[in-house]
Amino acid sequence: MQLQKTLLALCLHASVALQARGGTRGANALQAATLEPPTRASPTAPVFDQVCKETGITLSRFMIETAIANPELSELESIFSSIETATKTISNLVRRSSLTGLTGYLDDGNINIQGEEQKKLDVITNDVLKNALRFTGRMGVLASEEEDVPVEVEDESAARYQKEVLVEQTSGKYVAVFDPLDGSSNVDAGIPTGTIFGIFEDNNAECEVVEGSDVSDECLKATLQAGRNLVASGYVLYSSATHLFMTLGAGTYGFTYDEHIGEFVLSHPDVKIPARGKIYSTNEANRWEWDQPLQDYVTAIQKGEGESQTKYSARYIGSMVGDVHRTLLYGGIFGYAADTKNKAGKLRLLYEAAPMAFLVEQAGGIATTGRDRIMDIEPSNVHQRVPCILGSADDVNELKSYYAKTDKSADIYQG
Ligand code: FDP
């Protein structure tokens, strides 16, 4: 009894302390976070009036409170629980890969449709995430970077059997899109990698899977949605710590994996990207093949001749989750632009650019092709690529002003 009283006192004390340093800003901060006009009403924020010092606010508690405040979102609780389990497993697999023989490429040299050789970890992490999601019973459709199943693309007959939509027939009302191990070309060198995910509502009642037959057009329609329809998105970064950053459309929240209690704990409430940074992050080896406005912008910030009159530094990991994570926390601009060799850039719209755009916008940033908002692009192909430039609002707007001075017809990307 005495012990219970002491624990309760500790928890109540911790609650006050967290609020006093502004750690959990609660409903108002959550609701004020949306910059772009939302396509659906923002969820009501979870409120944490008591926080236990010993555990903090776990992701499970965050989702339980979210479901209490928004009963229509209650199914997301089990989806996040499955993402949590899968990404803890992936974090462990990545950390131990040099000891367990999981480095390198598949022995049979599997090449995916985009001409990339698949790593052992690409395949295993895909299975982990796919299985975790499919058994929630909440999923109608899953689309992953790593799946080899027919998908319909624009150029009908020849390109029909490309790859990578896995359709599960369940009663679920959600569609998940994901890249299980983004940046995996780096993984054997101990460089940060990550999982990116997005959740849409399955708004197509006609999507029905017939075993042994192709993916139906209705199921593809359920998958091919613009980013503005996302209900949730996030990433998990596997680095010096494992971080899970997510949004449900009312602010961006960051959790850090606490290995001592085996839980993701809220560490970055209501993340706000600085309005301007002084870091640019891009693969500059492509510079001579970029659009002229982008070349001119980068030259200006390198010389300290941009709007802020500050000389910028370059930081590029070459692993999107790590580069976006740093940009969210420190500010600045990250991008993979179109170049004359890759006319739509490299990043995939559905499971890389759009989920990251949602998260960045919810933190007060911007994500663009240079001209158009990433969230408004309607995908026509599951594996469609898109130029993606995102980050601090002032930095991205400055870049956009260079494009605005020129005619779109001169752009490499004509999407
Ligand atoms: P990776 O090929 O290692 O999976 O989209 C994949 C990605 O990594 C991103 O994570 C990263 O931002 C980009 O490619 C890096 O491409 P470059 O090597 O061409 O810079």
Side-chain angles (χ1 to χ4, degrees):
M1 190 62 187
Q2 187 52 42
L3 178 65
Q4 274 175 343
K5 274 189 190 157
T6 314
L7 282 176
L8 185 63
L10 267 175
C11 290
L12 291 175
H13 173 74
S15 161
V16 173
L18 192 65
Q19 284 166 5
R21 66 169 192 265
T24 302
R25 288 175 227 165
N28 292 340
L30 270 167
Q31 278 159 351
T34 311
L35 272 192
E36 300 282 344
T39 49
R40 66 170 65 76
S42 288
T44 302
V47 175
F48 302 99
D49 50 7
Q50 291 189 15
V51 180
C52 181
K53 186 177 159 197
E54 305 308 312
T55 54
I57 297 168
T58 62
L59 178 59
S60 326
R61 179 164 174 216
F62 188 93
M63 293 309 298
I64 290 167
E65 293 288 352
T66 299
I68 293 169
N70 308 274
E72 73 284 3
L73 295 182
S74 59
E75 291 190 18
L76 286 179
E77 203 187 315
S78 59
I79 293 174
F80 269 85
S81 162
S82 71
I83 290 172
E84 186 176 347
T85 308
T87 54
K88 283 180 198 168
T89 309
I90 294 173
S91 175
N92 197 34
L93 287 167
V94 168
R95 267 172 203 280
R96 303 193 65 239
S97 57
S98 303
L99 302 171
T100 54
L102 286 183
T103 52
Y105 293 94
L106 282 180
D107 292 339
D108 62 5
N110 222 19
I111 307 265
N112 72 19
I113 193 71
Q114 285 139 104
E116 300 157 342
E117 216 174 336
Q118 280 183 303
K119 294 207 135 182
K120 290 178 198 165
L121 275 172
D122 283 327
V123 176
I124 293 171
T125 56
N126 184 57
D127 279 347
V128 169
L129 195 53
K130 176 177 77 181
N131 287 324
L133 285 166
R134 85 211 291 198
F135 295 124
T136 58
R138 309 293 186 207
M139 287 294 155
V141 183
L142 301 176
S144 160
E145 193 196 3
E146 306 296 341
E147 283 296 327
D148 250 344
V149 180
V151 57
E152 188 155 52
V153 292
E154 280 167 322
D155 178 11
E156 287 249 321
S157 51
R160 186 161 176 81
Y161 289 93
Q162 290 221 0
K163 72 162 203 173
E164 302 178 8
V165 169
L166 170 81
V167 179
E168 292 288 332
Q169 186 169 23
T170 72
S171 56
K173 71 168 193 179
Y174 289 105
V175 174
V177 293
F178 57 86
D179 185 349
L181 196 62
D182 191 71
S184 61
S185 64
N186 287 306
V187 71
D188 297 346
I191 287 179
T193 49
T195 297
I196 307 171
F197 60 90
I199 311 289
F200 294 102
E201 257 172 36
D202 182 350
N203 51 14
N204 199 317
E206 306 297 312
C207 170
E208 207 175 290
V209 183
V210 180
E211 211 172 318
S213 68
D214 290 356
V215 174
S216 72
D217 290 353
E218 283 70 27
C219 293
L220 276 174
K221 271 187 223 148
T223 312
L224 298 177
Q225 299 192 49
R228 63 173 178 272
N229 291 351
L230 281 162
V231 177
S233 79
Y235 63 74
V236 181
L237 171 69
Y238 311 111
S239 185
S240 54
T242 300
H243 295 289
L244 186 154
F245 275 49
M246 52 85 94
T247 182
L248 300 170
T252 293
Y253 285 76
F255 298 78
T256 301
Y257 183 53
D258 183 343
E259 290 176 6
H260 293 288
I261 59 170
E263 297 276 355
F264 281 105
V265 178
L266 186 62
S267 51
H268 296 73
D270 193 22
V271 177
K272 288 283 169 261
I273 185 169
R276 184 177 283 281
K278 38 188 180 190
I279 295 173
Y280 72 96
S281 181
T282 188
N283 186 339
E284 219 173 332
N286 300 329
R287 151 175 212 134
W288 308 112
E289 283 103 42
W290 288 340
D291 285 326
Q292 196 58 47
L294 179 59
Q295 293 192 33
D296 293 344
Y297 165 74
V298 169
T299 304
I301 58 173
Q302 284 173 333
K303 292 180 164 178
E305 293 171 0
E307 278 171 9
S308 68
Q309 297 287 298
T310 302
K311 258 170 80 58
Y312 279 48
S313 281
R315 296 281 185 279
Y316 185 65
I317 303 169
S319 188
M320 187 189 194
V321 177
D323 283 316
V324 170
H325 186 69
R326 185 200 52 249
T327 306
L328 260 184
L329 297 182
Y330 296 176
I333 187 164
F334 160 82
Y336 209 110
D339 59 60
T340 47
K341 280 189 298 204
N342 307 295
K343 292 195 165 31
K346 181 176 183 191
L347 304 175
R348 283 62 158 210
L349 172 59
L350 204 55
Y351 44 81
E352 292 180 315
M356 289 302 205
F358 189 26
L359 204 82
V360 165
E361 282 193 3
Q362 287 296 321
I366 296 179
T368 179
T369 61
R371 293 187 189 274
D372 302 318
R373 182 180 176 225
I374 297 283
M375 295 277 279
D376 284 334
I377 301 173
E378 304 280 349
S380 53
N381 178 336
V382 175
H383 304 292
Q384 172 175 339
R385 297 173 196 264
V386 73
C388 175
I389 299 166
L390 57 81
S392 296
D394 291 352
D395 286 305
V396 180
N397 278 331
E398 184 176 350
L399 171 271
K400 283 171 70 179
S401 73
Y402 281 73
Y403 272 92
K405 283 184 256 171
T406 64
D407 200 285
K408 185 177 162 70
S409 61
D411 290 358
I412 295 166
Y413 175 69
Q414 287 295 323

